[in-house]
Amino acid sequence: MAGAGAAAEVPHLPGARVLIVEARFYGRINDFLLEGAKAVLAKAGAEVTHIVVPGALEVPPAIAMAHATGRFDAYVALGCVIRGETTHYDLVAGESCRGIMDLGVRERIAIGNGILTVENEAQALVRADPHHQDKGGGAALAALSLLLWQRRLTEGRG
């Protein structure tokens, strides 16, 4: 997962087509993640499309479906998984992360993972808040950085 979006230089990528896939489960936390991601993408000059899926496990398939269309250059995965009283947390946290990583490596696509995996809501709020850890902005920055690297390689400047 990426770090703070505001802490690093945002690459200028005007016209980059970025899809934000949000697993909307915790409203306030997701609002913070989305705010941070959109701010970084706006600073980069990216064109943003935003979709919502039911949960973190649906993020990798949604990205795979979108990628198959060729309409997007990069992807930002947003959501939050908070530990509960069952092992469901381990399954959702691990499989959503694995799915995103496998997809990025297998398909060689730029994906920033901003799905928080935390013990409690307080941890999530600090990590999500654009004025604190800004993990949504960090995920957008990660996606843009990977896209920039991919373009440099394609142009023979890598």
Side-chain angles (χ1 to χ4, degrees):
M1 185 176 307
E9 185 176 330
V10 175
H12 187 63
L13 290 165
R17 299 163 303 160
V18 180
L19 176 65
I20 297 173
V21 179
E22 175 193 2
R24 185 140 188 107
F25 198 81
Y26 300 101
R28 185 168 173 217
I29 295 164
N30 281 63
D31 288 344
F32 278 154
L33 290 169
L34 195 55
E35 178 184 342
K38 284 185 173 181
V40 168
L41 295 170
K43 189 172 182 180
E47 297 173 10
V48 177
T49 301
H50 170 228
I51 65 165
V52 175
V53 296
L57 290 175
E58 289 75 38
V59 172
I63 292 173
M65 289 174 202
H67 183 64
T69 70
R71 291 178 40 208
F72 301 99
D73 301 311
Y75 305 87
V76 179
L78 298 178
C80 181
V81 183
I82 298 176
R83 185 178 300 279
E85 296 177 5
T86 69
T87 58
H88 185 67
Y89 167 88
D90 297 315
L91 173 77
V92 174
E95 290 301 308
S96 63
C97 185
R98 184 196 56 79
I100 290 168
M101 181 61 74
D102 286 353
L103 181 61
V105 171
R106 183 181 62 248
E107 300 295 326
R108 293 173 295 286
I109 57 177
I111 305 173
N113 186 353
I115 298 178
L116 305 179
T117 53
V118 296
E119 296 295 319
N120 55 57
E121 185 176 357
Q123 287 179 351
L125 288 168
V126 169
R127 286 163 175 75
D129 190 335
H131 302 290
H132 287 96
Q133 292 186 17
D134 193 20
K135 295 298 186 179
L141 181 60
L144 293 171
S145 297
L146 287 169
L147 177 59
L148 181 61
W149 174 240
Q150 183 181 54
R151 287 182 175 181
R152 286 180 177 162
L153 289 170
T154 301
E155 295 167 1
R157 298 185 297 132

